Amino acid sequence: MAISITRYTFFALLVCSFAMILSNKVVSAQCSGDMQGLMQQCARYVQKSGPQIPPSTSCCTVVKNVDLACVCSHITNEVEGIVSMEKAAFIAQACGKPLVHGTRCGSYIVP
């Protein structure tokens, strides 16, 4: 039971942090797409802890309509503290919208 509460708390913290970061007016104003939807539908797939898992159809629907290169250009150290850029690149690939080789997402460079 304690593990379930801990996981729930961590997930809630992750979602809240991701929401604050992605709802940043700079990203929202400069990058096309549904940043709120991206956070809501995809947060669980990019958290640092846990295994890499394929995204849901609803996550992919949002990913396909977001300017990922633009979002990547606004990734901060705070984002990288809670979001795995490797998993984010995997999600983009799995959703059929791969990031171009050499794209910088925060400090991560897509191989």
Side-chain angles (χ1 to χ4, degrees), residues 18-39 42 46 62-77 79-80 83-85 88-89 91-92 97 99 103-108 110:
F18 203 47
M20 288 187 327
I21 294 160
L22 289 180
S23 65
N24 178 315
K25 291 189 185 297
V26 173
V27 175
S28 295
Q30 295 182 1
C31 302
S32 65
D34 180 6
M35 298 304 140
Q36 180 74 16
L38 185 64
M39 181 276 302
C42 301
V46 296
V62 176
V63 166
K64 289 177 183 178
N65 293 300
V66 170
D67 183 349
L68 296 176
C70 182
V71 172
C72 278
S73 72
H74 291 90
I75 298 296
T76 64
N77 289 336
V79 173
E80 288 190 78
V83 174
S84 166
M85 294 299 109
I91 296 304
K97 191 173 179 181
L99 295 168
T103 298
R104 181 177 289 274
C105 233
S107 64
Y108 178 73
V110 177

